[in-house]
Each structure stands twice: as C-alpha cells, then as structure tokens.
Amino acid sequence: MAINNSENTEAVSEGKKSKKGLLIIILLLFFLLGGGGFGAWWFFLRTPVPTAEELAELEAAKKNEPKILPVFALKPFVVNLADKKSRRYLKVTMKLELSDEVLLEEVDKRQAQIRDVILTLLSSKTAAEISTMEGKFLLRQDIIKRVNVYLVSGQVTKVYWEEFVVQ
C-alpha cells in the first residue's frame, strides 16, 4: 500500500504542477495580448494632443485665411468728360467691396448720395487722366475716399471695374 500511496502523491503533485504551469502560460498570454493591444491602440488609434506651438500655428492659419467681403453693384454711369477740345464720354460699371455685411443696407439707403458723389468725380476727369493704369488707380482711391465720407457703419475697401469705356 505504501507504494500505491506514493504513486497517488506523485500523480497529485504532477497534476498540481501541470495546472500551475498551464495557469502561468494563460496569464502570460493574457498579459502579452493585452500589452500588444494597448501598444497598437497607442501607436495607431489614439489622437495625439497638440502642443502649444501647434495650436498657435493653427490659430495663425485661421487668421490668415482670406475673408470674402460683401460686394455692392452700382448701376452703370455714363458721363461727359471734362475735355475742352473734344466731346468725350465715359461709361463705367463698378462694384464696391464693403467692410461688413451690415454696410450693405446702409449703402442701399444712401445710393443717391453715393451715385451723386461718383458722378461729380467722374465728370471732372479728362480722358488723359483716366486712360492710364495710374489714372484708373487714382480714380479708385478718390471714389473710396469720397464714398466713405457718407458711410457710418463701415467703409468701402475696394472698387472693382466691370466696364470702363472711354469714347
């Protein structure tokens, strides 16, 4: 019987060892797979937190984006030019770029004043003065200055020619 008892204790101790070994292997596999999953998430799926420099660059890029400003179309102007030796006229169609959307309503209400100041300015020019690029540029600047005198809630930023004919 003593022999039989020692065989049982050996079988029980081998069973405990094999169960402990199996448990250790399962735990190691669990931790390795968990660590591998965490590593994959860390490198591929997580969203990185931007640094202060990256945030500053994003803000600067937003500020540098071109802003599309509202444009107000004026009816065409046909005026006699101030040439003394010949009878010449100017036909101009233009659009005014405004600094703000709110200004559209004000410009619409003050259209008579704006047209008057532009008509007066255009009819004071000679063909020689407005035929060059520099003359057209100066005319734009004069229109902007004179129209902005009448505006309260904003200003005209640019003048765009749609049609400019001297005959």
Side-chain angles (χ1 to χ4, degrees), residues 44-135:
F44 299 113
L45 299 177
R46 79 174 174 95
T47 54
V49 177
T51 63
E53 292 173 355
E54 292 171 338
L55 288 173
E57 287 176 13
L58 288 173
E59 286 297 320
K62 284 182 184 177
K63 289 179 183 177
N64 291 337
E65 288 180 9
K67 184 178 178 185
I68 298 174
L69 297 174
V71 177
F72 187 84
L74 294 169
K75 294 177 186 173
F77 294 89
V78 180
V79 297
N80 290 322
L81 292 174
D83 291 321
K84 293 181 182 177
K85 294 183 181 180
S86 64
R87 296 187 51 98
R88 301 188 92 172
Y89 74 91
L90 170 67
K91 182 178 181 186
V92 177
T93 306
M94 68 181 82
K95 289 188 176 182
L96 305 176
E97 184 180 77
L98 309 175
S99 62
D100 195 357
E101 291 281 337
V102 178
L103 193 56
L104 281 169
E105 187 177 333
E106 183 181 354
V107 169
D108 190 41
K109 288 180 181 178
R110 295 185 180 267
Q111 219 175 114
Q113 293 169 321
I114 291 170
R115 285 189 62 80
D116 177 63
V117 75
I118 292 174
L119 276 169
T120 305
L121 176 64
L122 293 175
S123 63
S124 71
K125 299 294 181 181
T126 64
E129 290 175 331
I130 60 174
S131 62
T132 64
M133 290 300 289
E134 182 182 346

Side-chain angles (χ1 to χ4, degrees), residues 111-161:
Q111 219 175 114
Q113 293 169 321
I114 291 170
R115 285 189 62 80
D116 177 63
V117 75
I118 292 174
L119 276 169
T120 305
L121 176 64
L122 293 175
S123 63
S124 71
K125 299 294 181 181
T126 64
E129 290 175 331
I130 60 174
S131 62
T132 64
M133 290 300 289
E134 182 182 346
K136 288 179 179 95
F137 178 76
L138 291 173
L139 182 60
R140 278 186 174 130
Q141 297 305 315
D142 283 346
I143 290 171
I144 291 170
K145 284 180 196 173
R146 292 180 187 220
V147 170
N148 283 339
V149 169
Y150 292 100
L151 301 177
V152 177
S153 61
Q155 62 183 5
V156 173
T157 57
K158 291 182 183 175
V159 173
Y160 298 108
W161 308 125

